Amino acid sequence: MDYKTQGVCSRAIHFDVKDNKLTNVQFLGGCSGNTQGVARLIEGMDIDDAIARLEGIHCGPRPTSCPDQLARALKQYKASL
């Protein structure tokens, strides 16, 4: 799935889901080290666990963050099933 982010430095997030587990997580743009770290940490994680861990994280004064945007993308993915 490709998700266009809103309100953060990254422009988009790509991920695949196999057997309810995240694979091939990639952020387009954003803080390279942080987004690569998040992508590697959640690789293979159950999408429900990822949502629970990432949802609601803020970036400075912003009401969202790249991890929060990934949680929103995963919720959108689940709603589309």
Side-chain angles (χ1 to χ4, degrees):
M1 175 177 184
D2 291 306
Y3 179 82
K4 185 174 176 354
T5 59
Q6 297 177 353
V8 295
C9 298
S10 66
R11 297 180 300 281
I13 304 170
H14 169 80
F15 62 89
D16 296 316
V17 177
K18 183 174 182 177
D19 299 326
N20 212 50
K21 307 263 187 234
L22 281 160
T23 63
N24 302 318
V25 180
Q26 299 173 346
F27 289 81
L28 178 61
C31 303
S32 181
N34 290 335
T35 56
Q36 286 182 60
V38 169
R40 286 186 187 182
L41 286 169
I42 63 165
E43 186 78 19
M45 186 181 287
D46 181 89
I47 60 174
D48 295 311
D49 291 340
I51 291 168
R53 290 179 185 224
L54 302 175
E55 187 174 38
I57 294 174
H58 296 193
C59 184
R62 298 175 188 184
T64 188
S65 65
C66 291
D68 181 64
Q69 287 291 299
L70 178 55
R72 293 178 190 199
L74 294 172
K75 289 172 93 173
Q76 182 178 10
Y77 168 81
K78 285 182 62 172
S80 72
L81 296 179

